[in-house]
Amino acid sequence: MENKLKLYGFNNLTKSLSFNIYDVCYAKDPKAQLAYIAYVDEQYNSERITDIMTHLTEMIGAQVLSVSRQDYDPQGASATFLIADETMIPAGGSETVAHLDKSHVTVHTYPEYHPDTCIATFRVDIDVATCGKITPLTALDYLIGSFDSDIITMDYRVRGFTRNLSGEKLFIDHNITSIQDYIDESTLRKYDAVDVNVYQSNIFHTKMLIRELDLQNYLFNTDVTELPPWKRLEITTALKREMIEIFSGRNVFGNGFFTD
């Protein structure tokens, strides 16, 4: 940020972003479902998500201090980064730096399916907490583009306070009316977006649902031309229902299970 606030001491504001994406897919039978899980597990293994988060850290102007990553059996992966604002890195890097435990990035993946339905879902949870002048909001377009993001939920909160030179408390150091302010218009046009913000507490919540559904992009190991029109409609309806329920956070349609 370029607001050039004159502060007394270190910027003690903590900015936390919780970013969750869901990728929904149709896998026609148990074999295809297991193959889908294996596919996303490989596509987004701990090495790949570490690369994504390393670039995110660079984008927000932070420095990686340490990384821990893990792949899981039967599925899923995690990565945790300890990061720091460059102003917190002492010359030579040999001193202990305060507040580093408050600056971190964590990411976890959750591939899943249910044996009674042909819908499989891949979820990624990313949490970025920064302490100092940097904010994770500047990397939102990169995060959205790094995954097949059908449904996105984002929570952003600024906590604590810092002081200006006269001793006045500052509870936020940047202008924000909505998380959407930090997302490119070309990205926003692809989604329906809803905000729930608590301005007096510096809490911002946005959720987004993809607008257009090209069925071929949601079929795993199946070509849309192989399906009769009634089946295409059935699958499209099931996918839309799944997305609406995830977006709404409730069971709107009941189980809605179907099989071939």
Side-chain angles (χ1 to χ4, degrees):
M1 294 179 294
E2 298 298 329
N3 50 12
K4 302 295 184 182
L5 283 175
K6 298 295 184 181
L7 301 180
Y8 177 80
F10 179 70
N11 188 333
N12 288 301
L13 290 170
T14 298
K15 298 149 190 171
S16 302
L17 172 69
S18 178
F19 177 91
N20 313 97
I21 72 100
Y22 300 82
D23 173 33
V24 181
C25 177
Y26 171 83
K28 61 183 178 181
D29 53 38
K31 182 178 179 181
Q33 291 168 359
L34 291 174
Y36 170 75
I37 295 296
Y39 167 77
V40 295
D41 230 21
E42 176 61 27
Q43 282 290 105
Y44 297 105
N45 57 28
S46 63
E47 181 178 359
R48 170 78 189 286
I49 62 177
T50 295
D51 289 342
I52 293 173
M53 293 306 108
T54 298
H55 188 55
L56 175 146
T57 302
E58 294 170 350
M59 289 182 68
I60 66 176
Q63 179 173 324
V64 176
L65 300 178
S66 66
V67 178
S68 176
R69 66 188 189 192
Q70 180 66 50
D71 292 295
Y72 299 103
D73 185 11
Q75 65 237 12
S78 297
T80 301
F81 287 61
L82 194 64
I83 65 174
D85 180 337
E86 61 182 7
T87 62
M88 297 161 60
I89 305 295
S94 59
E95 302 175 30
T96 301
V97 183
H99 300 286
L100 290 187
D101 58 325
K102 295 185 179 69
S103 297
H104 61 266
V105 178
T106 63
V107 55
H108 306 282
T109 68
Y110 303 90
E112 70 89 33
Y113 70 96
H114 193 284
D116 294 332
T117 179
C118 298
I119 304 297
T121 305
F122 175 61
R123 184 175 110 235
V124 179
D125 293 350
I126 299 171
D127 290 283
V128 185
T130 63
C131 190
K133 69 176 184 178
I134 58 178
T135 173
L137 291 175
T138 54
L140 283 177
D141 282 301
Y142 171 69
L143 284 175
I144 293 170
S146 295
F147 302 94
D148 293 324
S149 306
D150 295 320
I151 306 105
I152 306 165
T153 63
M154 294 167 285
D155 295 283
Y156 180 66
R157 181 176 181 179
V158 181
R159 296 177 294 171
F161 66 90
T162 193
R163 293 181 186 271
N164 62 18
L165 294 178
S166 65
E168 180 185 9
K169 297 181 184 71
L170 302 175
F171 295 95
I172 194 167
D173 64 350
H174 59 294
N175 295 323
I176 177 173
T177 57
S178 166
I179 294 174
Q180 296 184 53
D181 297 342
Y182 289 81
I183 302 175
D184 190 85
E185 281 293 331
S186 62
T187 301
L188 285 174
R189 283 194 292 269
K190 300 176 184 178
Y191 294 88
D192 290 315
V194 175
D195 280 354
V196 180
N197 301 321
V198 185
Y199 295 108
Q200 63 270 31
S201 297
N202 291 327
I203 297 173
F204 306 88
H205 172 78
T206 297
K207 54 184 180 180
M208 300 165 59
L209 175 66
I210 198 78
R211 287 181 175 175
E212 300 295 331
L213 193 159
D214 182 348
L215 182 56
Q216 183 60 66
N217 294 336
Y218 293 86
L219 300 177
F220 184 75
N221 288 349
T222 300
D223 193 287
V224 69
T225 60
E226 301 172 358
L227 302 172
W230 66 267
K231 191 62 177 179
R232 297 179 197 178
L233 178 60
E234 184 181 68
I235 295 171
T236 301
T237 300
L239 288 166
K240 288 183 176 179
R241 286 183 173 184
E242 183 80 355
M243 292 181 189
I244 288 170
E245 289 193 335
I246 294 172
F247 180 76
S248 303
R250 58 179 56 89
N251 293 307
V252 178
F253 303 102
N255 287 338
F257 291 164
F258 67 93
T259 57
D260 286 332

